[in-house]
Amino acid sequence: DTAVSQTPKYLVTQMGNDKSIKCEQNLGHDTMYWYKQDSKKFLKIMFSYNNKELIINETVPNRFSPKSPDKAHLNLHINSLELGDSAVYFCASSFQGASSYEQYFGPGTRLTVT
Amino acid sequence: QQQVKQSPQSLIVQKGGISIINCAYENTAFDYFPWYQQFPGKGPALLIAIRPDVSEKKEGRFTISFNKSAKQFSLHIMDSQPGDSATYFCAASIRAAGNKLTFGGGTRVLVKP
């Protein structure tokens, strides 16, 4: 049973297209995150939702729009894809305000924009 | 501005040896310091974490040492095994501010048999 799952695992698309990545967690966590890992393996936070409310919104182009339909799901929609969007996108989840702040990551979605 | 600096970038160690990875942070408001292990094609996996009120934490072959005054923390992998070959990331967060993780640049560890 996968704790944090993402679909798709690979996404190849052309510049200018719109695409979505989906994330689901079955850990009962109340907070979910999107991180981006670039070609140099550097990991950076993009967004975070707590109980479906956006609580972290880093300096990310507004072509990126997260959406959380419920506590267990967090999707990432990307409009007008650019070459520089090519990266691995990771979803993660955790509890907030509890004694445990451990974040668990999904397997990642490798996005390639051609 | 890189808030968490990690060194070395890469490390080669013989089987049975000790791997040591160091991280330094700038923001004194950080109050949670996890380490993640990442294998190629996989997501980061939480290895061990520490809070600043503790100077050392050990789990199996993995130990975190924490020096609050120096704003540094390190990961020691004892009795390194070929299966430990991976990229290791230190991170830091402010728990009350959304707990967003600020990562170090990563250390690629290769354990030679």
Side-chain angles (χ1 to χ4, degrees):
Chain A
D1 289 343
T2 306
V4 182
S5 59
Q6 294 179 228
T7 54
K9 186 165 175 63
Y10 300 97
L11 189 51
V12 181
T13 188
Q14 291 184 324
M15 283 175 54
N17 285 348
D18 303 339
K19 290 293 178 186
S20 291
I21 306 171
K22 296 186 176 184
C23 178
E24 177 181 0
Q25 55 93 5
N26 62 7
L27 297 167
H29 288 160
D30 58 4
T31 304
M32 297 183 72
Y33 310 79
W34 279 113
Y35 289 85
K36 179 180 180 180
Q37 186 170 46
D38 63 21
S39 59
K40 295 185 178 178
K41 303 290 187 189
F42 189 69
L43 278 155
K44 187 169 167 53
I45 183 79
M46 298 175 70
F47 301 103
S48 175
Y49 270 77
N50 175 256
N51 285 318
K52 302 195 295 176
E53 181 182 342
L54 183 66
I55 59 169
I56 295 173
N57 186 352
E58 292 293 292
T59 308
V60 176
N62 56 17
R63 298 182 294 104
F64 289 78
S65 53
K67 237 172 215 177
S68 181
D70 56 57
K71 283 198 308 183
H73 296 85
L74 180 62
N75 303 324
L76 183 65
H77 188 75
I78 316 169
N79 289 326
S80 304
L81 278 155
E82 300 177 358
L83 292 176
D85 298 331
S86 295
V88 182
Y89 293 85
F90 288 102
C91 176
S93 71
S94 74
F95 282 114
Q96 282 292 97
S99 59
S100 170
Y101 287 83
E102 298 164 349
Q103 283 187 35
Y104 295 92
F105 281 73
T109 296
R110 181 175 291 277
L111 172 65
T112 303
V113 183
T114 61
Chain B
Q1 181 191 9
Q2 191 177 354
Q3 290 199 52
V4 179
K5 293 183 180 178
Q6 185 171 344
S7 62
Q9 286 188 322
S10 62
L11 181 59
I12 299 174
V13 63
Q14 290 296 128
K15 180 182 173 182
I18 302 173
S19 303
I20 302 174
I21 306 170
N22 300 300
C23 283
Y25 63 96
E26 296 171 7
N27 189 344
T28 55
F30 285 142
D31 60 0
Y32 176 66
F33 302 88
W35 284 89
Y36 283 84
Q37 178 189 58
Q38 186 179 29
F39 293 106
K42 304 291 184 183
L46 180 64
L47 206 53
I48 186 172
I50 200 167
R51 296 179 190 177
D53 54 344
V54 176
S55 61
E56 186 174 281
K57 183 175 180 180
K58 184 176 180 180
E59 286 184 5
R61 296 184 294 108
F62 300 92
T63 300
I64 299 179
S65 297
F66 187 84
N67 186 329
K68 188 173 180 178
S69 60
K71 294 189 286 184
Q72 294 176 345
F73 58 112
S74 60
L75 176 70
H76 290 59
I77 307 173
M78 314 299 286
D79 186 27
S80 296
Q81 300 296 313
D84 297 333
S85 296
T87 300
Y88 293 81
F89 293 93
C90 63
S93 74
I94 303 169
R95 289 175 289 164
N99 197 32
K100 67 175 185 179
L101 293 173
T102 299
F103 283 90
T107 296
R108 198 173 215 174
V109 174
L110 176 63
V111 181
K112 289 195 166 182

